[in-house]
Amino acid sequence: MSEFATVSPAGSPPRIRNFPSLAPRLALPLATIAVFAAFSVVSPAFLVPTNVLSILTNNFALQAIIALAMTLAVTSGGIDLSVGTAVDFASFAFVTLVLAGQPVPVAAVAGLGAGLVVGLFNGFLIAVIGISPFLATLGTLFIGRSIQQQLTNGGNPVYLPQTGIPDAFRFLGHGSLFGVPVTLAVAVLLLALFGLYLGRSSFGRTIIAIGTQPVVSRFSGLRVARTVTIAYGLAALVAAIAGILLTATVSVYIPNSGNAFLLNAIGATFIGTTLSPLRRPNIPGTALGVLLLAIVANGLLLSGLNFYWQQVGTGLLIFAVLAFSFLRGR
Amino acid sequence: MSDPSPAKPDLHLDFSGVSKSFGGALALDGASLAVRRGTVHGIVGQNGAGKSTLIKILAGLHKPDAGTLLVDGVSQPHLTPALAEELGIHFIHQDRLLVRSFTVGEALFLGREPRLPGTPFLDRRRMQREADAVINRYFGLSIPNGRLISELSTAERQIVQITRALIGKPAVLVFDEPTAALVRREADLLFGLIRRLRDEGITILYISHYLNEIEALCDDVTVLRNGRTVAALPVANTSARDLARLMIDADLKELFPVRTIARGETVLEVDALSLKGRYEDVSLTLVKGEVLGITGLLGSGAKEFVRTLFGLEAASSGEIRVRGQRVKSLKPPDAIGRQLALVPEDRRGQGVALDLSVAENTTLSSLGRFSRFSFLARRAEKAAVQALIQRLQVKTSGPDALLGTLSGGNQQKVAIAKWLSAQSEIYLLDEPTVGVDVGSKAEIYALINELAEKGAAVIVLSSDLPELIGLSDRILVFFRGQVIRELSAASVTPDQLLAEATGSHIREELAHVG
């Protein structure tokens, strides 16, 4: 039937473009390339292999893992302000057990478990009790902060000695896989895995439907509470991986340091969502969002601007995204 | 009906030729309304007949496209809410309840607080005095101004609403479905009050779905249908049955195809099912190939009953059996597992996700069918959706189109397609054609028939009575939480059905109360 080829519900022209046109699909990659090119011109120190690797390892990798966690929560229709708490809990459990002489794999599993507790607690508050995600995870953030201060005598860092560190620990922090730093490799692997899974699986579809229209999802028989709990659990688990890698990299656990990743994680998720064809949270978008923020941060620094200008760059970037989205919406 | 003749002195309100359209849809089409001073005047009509538009015009909320509005014999072409209040026209809305976080005093005097003379401060003592005077006089009780609205019962809130209007010294009081949320005893008290206010010279407009109330309470009645005034007559000369007949459009009949009923085995049995405060003691059986109609006014419990079958409400007692198997705790996923399907009335809020694509909506309840090891077989999914699009004649650019780009009728087809994809066998359709254009309506009717012919069991809940009669084999009538009648669709007329649903059977009972 030929009428399927053209939209024509009598009298009502389609409100939204049906097939995502090319511009929104390419907006984010093009913006990233443009910013990268601009800094390459402005600063001779920017387009140097060591610097590019530094951007990817130091500015991108951990932040991307935590932004991935955030994206999971945002996709389910909420937000996770306590991603940093899961990072910290994992990091604390990991360091403590390594210090106690436990094998690194055991310590890592314990770290993941500690992070997961945070996520399941969030899931319980949100899906079972029905607290709004913002308030629930804000509460978790505060409680987590207090717990860490209690555990560390008011916030003293836990250092690992310079000597006698297990090789496995060193490998996580400073090793490389096929020439790629472990942290970066893990980040890329996780992004690819979750990107593929959320994009192609029935779980991914379910979580998007729940995040978009929870009531319709309930009326369609989707298990909303269970899915939301899993989303927050997964988010915390992913954040916990970042926590373990962070500690392995710096050989220290600093209480409440995970929160430093929170705002950029939200920013990157927002950028990825806004600049995607259907305006849905999505992992490739989040990854590019983190990359964009990382390039801006590094580029501004190399351009000779004071470190404190970084946040201005991030803010302006978000305004630019908003402006673009507004123009597109008309 | 009134011609544009010179103002008649005994008419308090005299509207004629009033038309109003919203985006091409004609809500009022030359309607008229003539209300004698100091009478209780009823307005009746089915949903969409234009009652609420007419009331909103009287309130100054909508500006009519055409027509004259005479209030006290004076033309009011530019009615605004403020002007309506100045003219003494006050409204008791069922849906515009009071702000819950206000105190009684704030709610009563919002926007017209008395001040201490010469100061900006509120005269709280005078506020309490004025409130007491009215509440005591008409209701014989006292509600402290300091209490929060959220602490009051429904009846007390209504008292506050009426009191707020009475403090304003109304000339016309408009009651919009005032008894929908009241229990019987409270409703009786309200009727007594309305008669007393009328005797004190206030003109009352009374809008209700309950025709028995109109019969018992009103002096005159205006009947609206499809935006036109089809009758205006003294209640003494009519009956609930006559009113029902006037309300129903008898012209559309041919939309319904004939179905050959092949009765199969019983698929759904309901035994003495009750949900506290909503419905009680409902029993029914449903066989394959049958279309069972259910109707009832808002608050009759019919909707809650259907929601219970789908696991959205938990029954307080009674039993549901699906294919002979007793269902204990039912949640929507379990209901779907038993091949039940619900197409809810609120399409945009509950039925379909406008921001998901046609394909995503269609397979939302059957993702398991299209996934292997949790990964979606997207090609198979798309093919299945494409086939359903063809079968239901959904007008769309394709499976990837966002659902928000489709018209209401086509969205509804997708809402049904979702259950075809889930291979459901027991369909619960709540107002399946609400907000659907005539063409899609006919297609949806044909689809329901086709489903039944192929052995599905269907329950249709509808307030569109010709539709219900056309589709159903049997019809159950809910009234105030109970099934009061079971009728054969072949032998019932829409006006009989409406008379049943609007409670004409309790008319004699009610007449004694006044």
Side-chain angles (χ1 to χ4, degrees):
Chain A
M1 298 185 71
S2 65
E3 64 204 81
F4 290 130
T6 54
V7 196
S8 55
S12 63
R15 198 163 38 83
I16 309 161
R17 292 283 283 274
N18 278 328
F19 261 100
S21 63
L22 217 52
R25 194 189 293 275
L26 292 178
L28 192 47
L30 287 178
T32 311
I33 292 169
V35 171
F36 188 85
F39 280 120
S40 306
V41 173
V42 171
S43 162
F46 183 82
L47 190 59
V48 175
T50 51
N51 186 53
V52 171
L53 190 65
S54 158
I55 291 178
L56 290 175
T57 316
N58 300 331
N59 300 54
F60 173 79
L62 287 177
Q63 183 65 67
I65 297 175
I66 293 164
L68 162 60
M70 177 65 69
T71 305
L72 284 165
V74 173
T75 308
S76 78
I79 191 164
D80 187 355
L81 300 179
S82 64
V83 277
T85 311
V87 170
D88 292 331
F89 274 35
S91 163
F92 176 78
F94 183 58
V95 164
T96 310
L97 288 184
V98 169
L99 267 180
Q102 293 291 331
V104 169
V106 172
V109 169
L112 294 179
L116 185 61
V117 168
V118 177
L120 294 181
F121 182 62
N122 284 333
F124 173 76
L125 293 178
I126 294 162
V128 181
I129 302 201
I131 303 176
S132 81
F134 188 92
L135 292 178
T137 57
L138 186 64
T140 304
L141 171 65
F142 281 119
I143 294 171
R145 184 177 285 190
S146 206
I147 290 176
Q148 291 179 61
Q149 285 165 345
Q150 301 277 351
L151 289 172
T152 58
N153 284 327
N156 291 319
V158 181
Y159 293 96
L160 280 174
Q162 290 302 305
T163 55
I165 294 177
D167 285 346
F169 188 93
R170 221 176 268 290
F171 172 75
L172 281 181
H174 302 283
S176 59
L177 279 170
F178 309 109
V180 180
V182 169
T183 317
L184 181 57
V186 171
V188 171
L189 198 71
L190 283 175
L191 288 170
L193 218 65
F194 275 93
L196 204 66
Y197 188 62
L198 286 193
R200 297 284 170 94
S201 70
S202 57
F203 176 76
R205 183 71 63 76
T206 303
I207 201 172
I208 284 170
I210 289 171
T212 313
Q213 254 140 321
V215 178
V216 173
S217 300
R218 188 163 88 93
F219 275 74
S220 300
L222 302 184
R223 296 182 190 273
V224 177
R226 180 193 292 183
T227 309
V228 168
T229 308
I230 293 176
Y232 283 91
L234 275 181
L237 206 56
V238 168
I241 295 175
I244 291 168
L245 292 173
L246 171 67
T247 298
T249 311
V250 295
S251 295
V252 61
Y253 155 71
I254 302 170
N256 296 313
S257 55
N259 291 333
F261 296 97
L262 174 64
L263 293 181
N264 274 358
I266 296 175
T269 305
F270 163 78
I271 291 171
T273 303
T274 311
L275 295 185
S276 76
L278 289 170
R279 293 178 204 251
R280 289 182 189 167
N282 66 99
I283 288 170
T286 297
L288 281 173
V290 175
L291 189 60
L292 193 56
L293 290 174
I295 291 170
V296 168
N298 175 280
L300 287 180
L301 206 60
L302 291 186
S303 310
L305 277 174
N306 186 316
F307 171 78
Y308 300 106
W309 282 99
Q310 258 191 36
Q311 310 259 336
V312 174
T314 308
L316 290 177
L317 196 63
I318 286 174
F319 289 152
V321 168
L322 260 180
F324 177 83
S325 155
F326 175 72
L327 291 174
R328 212 187 113 195
R330 289 196 305 176
Chain B
M1 272 160 265
S2 50
D3 302 311
S5 53
K8 301 168 195 101
D10 63 326
L11 288 186
H12 200 152
L13 300 175
D14 188 3
F15 291 6
S16 52
V18 180
S19 295
K20 175 76 188 172
S21 61
F22 297 99
L26 211 51
L28 283 179
D29 183 10
S32 62
L33 176 69
V35 182
R36 292 185 293 141
R37 195 180 310 281
T39 61
V40 182
H41 192 106
I43 300 180
V44 298
Q46 288 199 284
N47 289 335
K51 286 177 309 207
S52 54
T53 309
L54 192 62
I55 292 310
K56 281 181 177 152
I57 285 173
L58 176 62
L61 293 169
H62 289 326
K63 202 172 160 47
D65 301 333
T68 54
L69 316 179
L70 300 184
V71 180
D72 276 325
V74 180
S75 176
Q76 299 290 354
H78 304 293
L79 210 53
T80 60
L83 182 56
E85 189 157 338
E86 231 170 86
L87 293 167
I89 305 171
H90 289 259
F91 295 81
I92 316 289
H93 280 292
Q94 193 243 317
D95 56 340
R96 203 198 298 157
L97 283 173
L98 306 152
V99 182
R100 293 171 61 84
S101 58
F102 275 16
T103 65
V104 170
E106 285 167 340
L108 285 176
F109 293 95
L110 183 65
R112 51 175 188 223
E113 294 88 348
R115 312 269 154 136
L116 289 168
T119 74
F121 300 110
L122 300 181
D123 189 345
R124 289 181 184 278
R125 210 171 288 173
R126 191 174 142 205
M127 284 162 70
Q128 185 67 62
R129 204 168 55 234
E130 286 188 15
D132 279 347
V134 173
I135 296 183
N136 216 325
R137 178 163 164 223
Y138 289 99
F139 303 98
L141 51 86
S142 165
I143 302 177
N145 274 1
R147 279 184 71 188
L148 280 174
I149 295 296
S150 56
E151 299 169 351
L152 304 183
S153 71
T154 312
E156 283 176 318
R157 279 180 212 181
Q158 196 150 44
I159 289 176
V160 171
Q161 277 200 315
I162 297 173
T163 303
R164 175 176 162 81
L166 292 177
I167 289 171
K169 306 245 180 323
V172 179
L173 256 183
V174 182
F175 288 86
D176 192 356
E177 295 285 350
T179 59
L182 297 183
V183 300
R184 185 60 186 282
R185 195 178 50 79
E186 295 165 344
D188 292 341
L189 289 173
L190 179 69
F191 297 156
L193 173 71
I194 288 176
R195 292 197 183 92
R196 178 166 167 196
L197 293 172
R198 174 194 59 193
D199 295 342
E200 290 180 8
I202 297 176
T203 302
I204 312 276
L205 266 181
Y206 191 86
I207 296 110
S208 177
H209 276 113
Y210 295 102
L211 298 180
N212 56 327
E213 294 179 2
I214 301 284
E215 236 185 329
L217 187 65
C218 297
D219 301 306
D220 301 327
V221 60
T222 293
V223 183
L224 294 176
R225 188 174 77 211
N226 296 336
R228 297 200 185 94
T229 302
V230 294
L233 64 171
V235 166
N237 300 351
T238 185
S239 67
R241 175 73 48 103
D242 292 335
L243 291 177
R245 197 167 298 142
L246 287 166
M247 282 162 63
I248 285 175
D249 198 343
D251 315 336
L252 28 96
K253 276 274 163 64
E254 305 73 33
L255 287 171
F256 304 98
V258 183
R259 179 172 67 250
T260 50
I261 309 164
R263 291 268 168 130
E265 68 265 32
T266 303
V267 286
L268 180 71
E269 292 159 279
V270 178
D271 249 354
L273 202 68
S274 300
L275 177 59
K276 261 215 173 96
R278 297 297 178 182
Y279 58 84
E280 50 187 315
D281 204 20
V282 178
S283 300
L284 63 81
T285 55
L286 188 67
V287 301
K288 279 185 125 181
E290 182 182 26
V291 179
L292 172 67
I294 293 182
T295 192
L297 299 175
L298 195 68
S300 67
K303 192 171 291 285
E304 289 80 3
F305 171 70
V306 170
R307 286 169 56 95
T308 310
L309 295 181
F310 195 65
L312 291 160
E313 312 266 1
S316 37
S317 66
E319 194 175 299
I320 301 172
R321 287 189 299 276
V322 180
R323 291 181 204 88
Q325 264 194 322
R326 180 163 182 208
V327 180
K328 287 209 179 100
S329 89
L330 192 70
K331 288 254 158 47
D334 313 319
I336 293 166
R338 291 169 198 272
Q339 290 169 303
L340 269 87
L342 172 71
V343 176
E345 174 183 7
D346 179 5
R347 182 164 57 239
R348 291 157 155 262
Q350 302 170 339
V352 290
L354 298 182
D355 294 330
L356 297 184
S357 72
V358 171
E360 287 168 328
N361 271 285
T362 305
T363 58
L364 199 55
S365 299
S366 50
L367 286 171
R369 258 186 77 199
F370 298 101
S371 46
R372 283 182 77 186
F373 309 114
S374 175
F375 275 85
L376 285 171
R378 292 199 289 186
R379 198 167 298 173
E381 181 192 15
K382 208 166 236 184
V385 171
Q386 192 65 259
L388 281 170
I389 288 176
Q390 302 261 5
R391 178 173 162 202
L392 303 193
Q393 309 267 312
V394 181
K395 292 194 184 56
T396 171
S397 58
D400 289 328
L402 287 184
L403 207 76
T405 62
L406 273 58
S407 72
N410 286 297
Q411 288 176 6
Q412 187 72 346
K413 288 183 200 168
V414 174
I416 298 173
K418 176 166 72 186
W419 300 115
L420 297 182
S421 173
Q423 297 171 327
S424 305
E425 289 183 355
I426 304 172
Y427 288 79
L428 312 170
L429 310 176
D430 185 359
E431 304 287 352
T433 61
V434 69
V436 163
D437 60 287
V438 179
S440 300
K441 249 185 195 177
E443 287 170 2
I444 288 171
Y445 294 151
L447 177 65
I448 293 171
N449 270 294
E450 186 195 324
L451 286 172
E453 278 182 356
K454 287 188 175 162
V458 184
I459 291 182
V460 177
L461 173 60
S462 179
S463 56
D464 183 337
L465 301 178
E467 161 180 306
L468 202 62
I469 292 171
L471 281 173
S472 313
D473 302 312
R474 287 182 295 149
I475 297 172
L476 300 183
V477 181
F478 274 66
F479 188 80
R480 298 222 186 254
Q482 284 172 321
V483 176
I484 55 154
R485 287 282 186 284
E486 177 176 336
L487 304 159
S488 158
S491 59
V492 71
T493 61
D495 46 306
Q496 280 168 340
L497 197 52
L498 184 64
E500 296 290 353
T502 51
S504 62
H505 64 290
I506 56 164
R507 168 193 143 209
E508 299 80 13
E509 211 184 313
L510 193 68
H512 294 302
V513 178

